[in-house]
Amino acid sequence: MKIIKSIEEWRYIFKKHKTNGKTVGLVPTMGALHGAHISLVGHSVKDNDLTAVSIFVNPTQFNNPDDLTNYPETWESDVAKLEAAGVDYLLYPAYEDMYRDNYRYKLIETEYSGDLCGTARPGHFDGVLTVVMKLLNMTKATKAYFGEKDWQQFQLIKDMAETFFIDTEIIPCPLIREKSGLAMSSRNKMLTTEELERAPLFNKTISSGKTIAEMKEELTSLGFKVDYLKKKEGRIFGAVFLGKARLIDNVKI
Ligand code: PAF
């Protein structure tokens, strides 16, 4: 696996692969990799000649500075996992290189991004859409892979790619859970042992078939701070705080 920091170098490399008719799969991440990321990589490796993973903790999508400070970093184990998963390129840009304009230009969606997670995290999806558009433009990937845990993120990215005539096909991949039912997330690393034992009750509660009001009450009594719970598009979406972590999940009704 080749690790590339320079954006110029990677644009050159991917242009060459494109010219040679190779398909490229891109898996954008913020590092702290776990089984769900590796499952996205698995889809990409199966579908494409080459797979690139980006690790970039994107500051513009953190509306809460503490969340950025506490975001886990596990570089060495990330590299080992990606090597083992058969990744060809690891893209690792610096902030100054990604945001040469210091975020003077940004992408703003005006409807769906203000719902669900967007209500509680103003500006979050502007940061996500802006960085993903940059990554897609730099790599000109054939396909890019996103998990369905971040359902709203996937919908917005797919819509953005269509709206701006970006050639990359945006591929959704199933949400991956721990055996306990807890959705895999980099933020689970922020939980204490006791919180980690309690965290699966979030999924259990939103899968219980109870009313939203009952679920909220139950989660609150279990020590979660409910950010939102909402029925939409045949699913229940939720975000809760547990200790330092903000956890999200969604289940089909
Ligand atoms: O889902 C994530 O990890 C991030 O939002 C993404 C898509 C890598 C953009 O920074």
Side-chain angles (χ1 to χ4, degrees), residues 32-34 38 74 76-87 189:
L33 303 180
H34 48 72
I38 301 309
T74 55
E76 272 164 33
S77 88
D78 289 354
V79 171
K81 283 177 187 162
L82 296 176
E83 293 261 19
V87 170
K189 293 191 172 76

Side-chain angles (χ1 to χ4, degrees), residues 28-30 37 56 58 61 71 128 131-132 146 150 153 157:
T29 81
M30 298 204 297
H37 292 116
F56 179 66
N58 176 34
Q61 70 187 75
Y71 201 81
V128 170
V131 81
V132 171
F146 297 90
D150 295 286
Q153 168 172 284
I157 291 171

Side-chain angles (χ1 to χ4, degrees), residues 152-169:
Q152 189 180 8
Q153 168 172 284
F154 161 71
Q155 299 291 341
L156 282 163
I157 291 171
K158 189 172 162 49
D159 215 26
M160 176 270 281
E162 280 167 17
T163 301
F164 290 97
F165 305 104
I166 293 175
D167 286 336
T168 308
E169 197 183 333

Side-chain angles (χ1 to χ4, degrees), residues 6 23 35 76-78 91 100 103 117 123 125 142 169 171 205 218:
S6 148
T23 58
E76 272 164 33
S77 88
D78 289 354
L91 314 173
R100 294 168 192 190
Y103 203 35
C117 281
F125 286 113
T142 319
E169 197 183 333
I171 310 285
T205 306
E218 189 166 317

